[in-house]
Amino acid sequence: MKKFFIYLLLVTANTFAQENLLINVYNRTFTSLNGEWNYIVDPYESGYYNYRYEPYDKQSNPGKGAYFLNAKPDNKTDLVEYGFDKSSVINVPGDWNTQKENLFYYEGTAWYKKSFDYQKKKNTNRVFLYFDAVNYKAEVYLNGKKLGTHTGGFTPFNFEITGLIKEKENFIIVKVDNKRLKEGVPTLNTDWWNYGGITRDVRLVEVGENYIEDYFIQLDLQSKDKLAGYIKLNGQNISGKQIRITIPELKIDQTIFSSEEGKASFEIKAGEIKYWSPENPYLYSVTISTNEDEVIDQVGFRSIKTEGQNILLNDKEIFLKGICIHEEKPFVGGRAYSPGDAEQLLKWVKELGCNYVRLAHYPHNENIVRLADKMGILVWEEIPVYWTIQWENEETYNNAANQLREVVTRDKNRASVIIWSMANETPASNARNIFLTKLAEQTRKLDPTRLISAALEQTNYGGNPNTRTINDPFADVVDIISFNQYIGWYDGTPEKCKEISWIITQNKPVIISEFGADAKYGFHADSLTRWSEEYQEYLYTETLKMIDKLPQLRGISPWILADFRSPRRNLPGIQDGWNRKGLISSGGEKKKVFFVLKKYYELK
Ligand code: GCB
């Protein structure tokens, strides 16, 4: 009878849907679950599928082979062929590739387990299990019950666990699978390392019974002396609730009431606002409260728009002096995640004289975006719709759209973020145009206050190889035309830059989202010898002269701040598994080209 009851619980638990995403977990009451977790490497997924290849978590009687049960033998005759308690430990957050030598190239399933006791701060409170990111697919279980599945390696997700968490002996089990998939986002083919694992923070977030789930607070689109946005409550008793918004420095103390669905929109007149900008990244302390919950955030207010060929920040023209960044740990490699990693990366960005970064090619961790807010660095955020994914596959679209929704939900209150990018170097076709256009429409609905772009490709103009243009129907959809170009690297030598001219016919601002060349730090030769610092330096000098002739140029983000790991880069002695287009080496040394770009930005 007891057994039957357990199985029944299990089956119903399988239907738990993923909850709406909490935002600003950094400023809520939380308990970190970072630290050592037990793990089991399971390349055959034998802890997930039975010998008929049926998932255990879909069985009414999974038996002791199912890893999510954390089973232990009841007596000496009992057969259990795994055991978390005696398995090795791994650090969370962190990728497994750089923590364990034997997992360096591993792509597949590993199971993670964490045991913990938990005392709620208040009995009626609700508890959520929140993951900042797991690459790529996570099946999550608590105390033997399935909470749900999340797909996509770079965005947060959470599950409510109020009814399941106990005071003693809880165990979370996560099946992490970083297998690359043809239908995935990204797909099989990328120029970066497929770091697997629970790569970012894990925490338990505790909120009141009726809590503030989400909010959006921005400068009003029409009027720069008003703030506008919405607040969304979650709970059983959220209709007609009093919500208070206070920003003491702006003398704002406004009370609004929620609708039946627990939503409240607002517009607030605000005297003298110090607008957020790279020169003055001013953040206001904003408090949103109900009689049951309170969230505090640090929010900057600024406007961003385009007018003809210009980008206007707070109604003033701006040139985006940028650089691309991969989420690669400075000095040592591996997936970056910590506040310290973010500090180092953005310190280099500042030293280079940038006011802007392109966070390529997927949503980076929240630490770096929050730090960009504080340091006054404008941000382009992107989802891993990269190269050729399955444009006609509805599931692929839903996956991309979900990743986009999650990053917009997370970062929509960050003043630094000015551009949402839909894709990188995707080949124009009818199916691809429909896919990206739908994504752009969704983004504008979620966030009408920011600009939309995508890193496009350039082509010959009128059949002339020395004249280049942007001939992509998606250029009509975006607010800013961005494109990558590698004249002088994949396309001739740097000398070629002298011969190229550009005809861009769209009346929009243009950003060159990538250009660059590989150089091995410390390898010196003449400026036409590949892989030398001199070649890279020469390429930048010639490229900058070439692109300065583009009348609509309003920003650049060369490729890339620092060398990053890529399994596509196999030249021995030079690449050794690293893309060497960094201005800074994998060991943190500045190459000659760093100073070329710095100089260019000083004079710009
Ligand atoms: C590109 C891609 C980027 C690559 C880079 C390269 O165009 O967008 O992901 O890493 O070129 O180094 O080839």
Side-chain angles (χ1 to χ4, degrees), residues 37-149:
W37 289 48
N38 294 100
Y39 76 104
I40 299 173
V41 181
D42 185 18
Y44 281 30
E45 298 173 89
S46 42
Y48 188 71
Y49 295 107
N50 66 16
Y51 81 123
R52 297 287 181 219
Y53 212 64
E54 298 152 341
Y56 282 122
D57 65 15
K58 301 221 161 59
Q59 311 290 308
S60 55
N61 186 354
K64 287 193 170 173
Y67 285 14
F68 70 89
L69 290 175
N70 191 24
K72 290 160 207 205
D74 283 336
N75 53 54
K76 66 178 185 186
T77 62
D78 209 7
L79 177 64
V80 180
E81 290 192 79
Y82 71 97
F84 279 103
D85 295 346
K86 286 195 185 144
S87 68
S88 315
V89 292
I90 191 162
N91 280 322
V92 169
D95 64 77
W96 60 53
N97 314 72
T98 59
Q99 289 193 62
K100 306 282 167 187
E101 217 174 311
N102 62 343
L103 297 182
F104 188 64
Y105 286 107
Y106 184 62
E107 296 186 303
T109 283
W111 295 81
Y112 283 63
K113 192 222 57 164
K114 181 88 175 167
S115 297
F116 62 98
D117 297 337
Y118 189 73
Q119 190 68 49
K120 269 206 233 176
K121 317 281 172 284
K122 197 173 155 198
N123 215 18
T124 51
N125 277 356
R126 296 166 67 176
V127 187
F128 287 80
L129 173 59
Y130 184 100
F131 293 86
D132 282 34
V134 175
N135 192 38
Y136 166 77
K137 188 170 179 191
E139 309 280 350
V140 185
Y141 309 84
L142 175 68
N143 298 337
K145 318 278 176 335
K146 184 156 192 176
L147 301 175
T149 305

Side-chain angles (χ1 to χ4, degrees), residues 191 361 386 424-425 484 486 490 514 559 569 579 581:
D191 188 21
H361 282 300
Y386 183 86
N424 180 75
E425 290 181 354
N484 301 347
Y486 281 89
Y490 296 120
E514 282 180 36
W559 192 252
R569 308 294 174 176
N579 183 313
K581 293 193 186 68

